[in-house]
Amino acid sequence: MALKKWITVAISIAMAALVATVVLRENRGGVTRKQFVSDLQPLTIPDNGNDLRKQVNNLRKQISRLRSSKPYIVIDTHSNHLYLRTEDSIIINAICSTGSGGEVFDPTSGRKWRFETPRGIHKVESKMVDPWWRKPDWAFLEEDLPIPEDPRERLDSEMLGEYALGFGNGYFIHGTIYERLLGISVTHGCVRIGSQDLKRLYEKVKIGTEIYVF
Amino acid sequence: MFSDRFSDFLLQLLIMLAVSLLTSALAIGETSKEASQVSPVSNTDHGALVDKLALDWTELQLAKRDSPYLVLNVPRSTLDVRLKGRLLARFPIEFEMSRDKLVSKIAHLKKSDTGLPVEILTSKRLYGYTKCYSDSMIKMISSVVKTNPNNIHRYKPSSFELRFGTRLVIYVKTDVKPSDRDGWKTPFDLARGTILYLFTKTRIKIRANADDALTIYRMAEPGMPILIQTIE
């Protein structure tokens, strides 16, 4: 009888420990809500109705300033879509191809390249018509070809399509000769779109337009 | 002559009086307008203003960060992705419960804490899915572009959950019929799932388009905040 009682107690303790472990692990993994909230600036709520209204109106103004009416580019690397949009409307909705996430390693120099489209906020820095691609070293390593010494051997006039929009660090939104692969993450970090969408985007976008990649 | 001067003086006096009366009337109007602004707000108004304040203040805090955040917009029935306040994506959703029930569930969630309408994603779990591309196509593409096939592998989710600790779970369902299921792998997984189900404070079920759900599932990473908006 006593043994039965002890077994029941042991099982209860084990169950409680399991429940506590699971719940605590879920709530404490990574950034916790408590930690996140405590990192924010403290919010003070005015007692006076007038002050409260004023503060609400002030914050509403700040929020509406964030919602710019100027068009901006959004690149969704998860579904491979590029949008030119404002807060309320989508001006261009294009299927694109973004970075594959693959890697190329050069055993002789020890250099390594990872082909991701850089997330975050960028700006259109340059606009080009009939761009030529100056092949980087990885393009030759990928093909198991020797890296040429003559810079002219690096030039390719077809690969980037008719237009290119540069957004820094050698990344471009450009055309492609592989339109069948649009919608799949196959690029080396640049963003490829179809020729029709590229022409419209080139015409509508100005230098300085914000690009949001997520 | 005197009488003319007197009458002119009287007229000037009357005009001055009229102007001063008008000015004071306008001033009184302004004061009464200000007075109406100062007048105490009712408890309901006060509560609504505090909710607005908490919502906007939290969004401004999230907009200061360099990473995207989600917004569950209950009045518009959308799940938005924002970065620095800019709308990156808006996914229309359907709530699988009445609006009143949903709002009361969220209110209950807020009451129990700081009152800030924000939760932090702790984990996600894919239940059922179907592959977008065949294995042979993935193999072909990966050999052409010299990429790991796993990087190209895509699927459309049939259902998954986004878990925000034990406070909130958002269960997302699509119209996709699953061809594969991510079953419970170990007895511990099963026990974990059951315990978390029992201890979760609020569960919200939503229905979304399969393509949208793919983006939501792929982009939602632990640590990502979600702003819960119940007012416009």
Side-chain angles (χ1 to χ4, degrees), chain A residues 80-120:
Chain A
N80 281 303
H81 270 81
L82 179 147
Y83 304 94
L84 177 66
R85 70 169 306 152
T86 61
E87 173 76 19
D88 303 315
S89 64
I90 293 175
I91 302 157
I92 295 175
N93 175 356
I95 299 176
C96 67
S97 280
T98 54
S100 66
E103 281 180 357
V104 164
F105 179 66
D106 180 5
T108 51
S109 66
R111 286 179 300 170
K112 197 171 155 183
W113 292 268
R114 192 169 165 78
F115 303 127
E116 300 268 20
T117 302
R119 308 257 172 103

Side-chain angles (χ1 to χ4, degrees), chain A residues 15 18-23 25-29 31-34 36-37 39-50 52-56 58-60 62-63 65-68 70 72-74 76-80 83 85-88 98 100-104 114 120-121 141-144 178 180-186 188 192 210 212-214, chain B residues 34 36-41 45-46 49-50 52-66 68-69 76 81-91 113-123 133 137 140-141 144-148 151-152 154 163-167 188 191-193 195-196 199 211 214-215 218-219 223 225 229 231-232:
Chain A
M15 290 285 280
L18 181 69
V19 168
T21 310
V22 168
V23 172
R25 242 174 98 177
E26 189 61 39
N27 286 324
R28 286 191 178 168
V31 183
T32 65
R33 184 175 185 276
K34 205 175 169 185
F36 182 84
V37 170
D39 286 347
L40 302 178
Q41 282 174 15
L43 168 67
T44 43
I45 298 168
D47 294 329
N48 181 299
N50 192 35
L52 183 60
R53 272 206 193 99
K54 272 184 187 164
Q55 203 170 329
V56 167
N58 179 29
L59 290 186
R60 281 274 139 143
Q62 289 184 49
I63 291 277
R65 257 181 251 138
L66 292 175
R67 320 275 199 242
S68 164
K70 281 183 189 168
Y72 52 93
I73 296 170
V74 175
D76 174 354
T77 60
H78 307 286
S79 69
N80 281 303
Y83 304 94
R85 70 169 306 152
T86 61
E87 173 76 19
D88 303 315
T98 54
S100 66
E103 281 180 357
V104 164
R114 192 169 165 78
I121 306 167
L141 290 166
E142 224 180 22
E143 302 283 327
D144 288 329
Y178 306 113
R180 286 175 66 191
L181 295 181
L182 289 175
I184 308 173
S185 305
V186 293
H188 299 95
R192 298 177 191 167
E210 287 171 332
Y212 293 81
V213 183
F214 78 103
Chain B
E34 270 176 29
S36 74
Q37 280 174 353
V38 177
S39 67
V41 286
D45 280 354
H46 191 270
L49 283 171
V50 168
K52 271 185 190 173
L53 185 75
L55 177 73
D56 289 349
W57 180 85
T58 310
E59 171 142 32
L60 283 169
Q61 298 295 311
L62 295 176
K64 281 181 187 167
R65 295 154 49 95
D66 292 323
Y69 56 94
R76 286 191 183 197
V81 184
R82 288 189 183 271
L83 175 59
K84 297 276 178 196
R86 294 288 167 86
L87 183 68
L88 304 191
R90 171 161 283 165
F91 306 118
D113 195 68
T114 54
L116 296 179
V118 67
E119 301 295 329
I120 306 298
L121 185 74
T122 51
S123 61
Y133 309 119
M137 187 184 173
M140 184 196 79
I141 295 168
V144 171
V145 296
K146 301 217 173 1
T147 304
N148 182 345
N151 292 332
I152 301 172
R154 289 286 159 113
R163 177 168 283 285
F164 302 83
T166 48
R167 289 172 55 80
F188 182 76
R192 184 180 171 274
I195 291 165
L196 289 176
F199 280 82
D211 290 324
L214 171 69
T215 297
R218 285 178 64 93
M219 71 156 306
Q229 183 174 349
I231 46 174
E232 277 290 0

